């Protein structure tokens, strides 16, 4: 393990964070997600859109805000990230593997149902849970597809 002095020196020399060999993979993954979020807050204007609109649905990346028919929809950070990723790829099926890799930097494992759980909650909050999903569709043996025309 790193001694405190080594840790302090590394931070003073410009390191954003310091990890030692005993740090668990879960902690490393959480720190990477945090660093990615921080970097995302200062994205230059030319890096991509910070607002997506599909009919009555509006997503604002900078404010982390979703509105449907001008009503705020309370999404968790994880739900927002999944919805933003799908909406930014509207009309294209996005695999669970790609979602996990892009959102959490982790390889897909078939037992990981976190994406499916978030999709379920997003559908419920956006009124897409009754009957067959039309706005966020499941693509069998692939992943999910955000339908840009269904809003």
């Amino acid at each position: 393990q790193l001694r405190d002095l080594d840790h302090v020196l590394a931070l003073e020399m410009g390191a954003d964070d310091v990890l030692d060999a005993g740090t668990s993979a879960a902690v490393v993954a959480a720190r990477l997600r945090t660093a990615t979020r921080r970097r995302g807050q200062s994205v230059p204007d030319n890096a991509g859109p910070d607002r997506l609109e599909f009919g009555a649905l509006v997503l604002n990346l900078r404010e982390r805000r979703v509105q449907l028919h001008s009503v705020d929809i309370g999404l968790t950070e994880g739900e927002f990230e999944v919805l933003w990723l799908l909406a930014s790829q509207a009309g294209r099926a996005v695999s669970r593997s790609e979602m996990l890799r892009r959102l959490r930097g982790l390889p897909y494992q078939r037992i990981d149902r976190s994406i499916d759980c978030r999709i379920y909650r997003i559908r419920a909050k956006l009124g897409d849970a009754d009957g067959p999903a039309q706005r966020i569709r499941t693509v069998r043996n692939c992943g999910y597809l955000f339908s840009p025309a269904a809003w």
Side-chain angles (χ1 to χ4, degrees):
Q1 288 194 357
L2 292 175
R3 295 181 325 199
D4 287 344
L5 180 59
D6 293 332
H7 199 134
V8 169
L9 287 173
L11 292 170
E12 290 295 328
M13 291 174 51
D16 290 332
D17 199 359
V18 179
L19 303 171
D20 62 15
T23 305
S24 73
V27 170
V28 172
R31 286 184 173 178
L32 287 171
R33 286 192 302 276
T34 300
T36 301
R37 278 195 305 271
R38 286 184 187 142
R39 189 177 29 188
Q41 291 173 351
S42 61
V43 173
D45 290 336
N46 60 0
D50 65 351
R51 182 180 169 97
L52 298 173
E53 293 186 45
F54 303 93
L57 181 71
V58 178
L59 290 84
N60 187 311
L61 180 61
R62 292 188 192 276
E63 295 177 8
R64 311 301 265 188
R65 185 174 176 187
V66 176
Q67 291 183 308
L68 183 59
H69 300 292
S70 300
V71 175
D72 284 337
I73 305 298
L75 297 182
T76 66
E77 181 69 19
E79 291 165 355
F80 181 87
E81 288 176 352
V82 168
L83 182 59
W84 180 268
L85 175 61
L86 288 172
S88 67
Q89 302 292 316
R92 180 179 85 79
V94 182
S95 70
R96 290 173 183 85
S97 176
E98 181 181 349
M99 284 192 247
L100 278 171
R101 183 180 46 77
R102 290 179 64 182
L103 297 175
R104 295 175 37 200
L106 300 173
Y108 177 63
Q109 298 175 4
R110 291 201 176 276
I111 59 170
D112 187 340
R113 306 309 290 177
S114 61
I115 296 295
D116 302 306
C117 292
R118 287 180 181 162
I119 294 290
Y120 174 82
R121 291 192 307 263
I122 292 167
R123 284 175 172 160
K125 291 178 180 182
L126 295 178
D128 197 26
D130 298 330
Q134 299 298 314
R135 296 173 171 174
I136 299 174
R137 296 193 329 243
T138 302
V139 178
R140 189 179 171 109
N141 295 323
C142 181
Y144 296 97
L145 182 139
F146 180 93
S147 177
W151 301 94

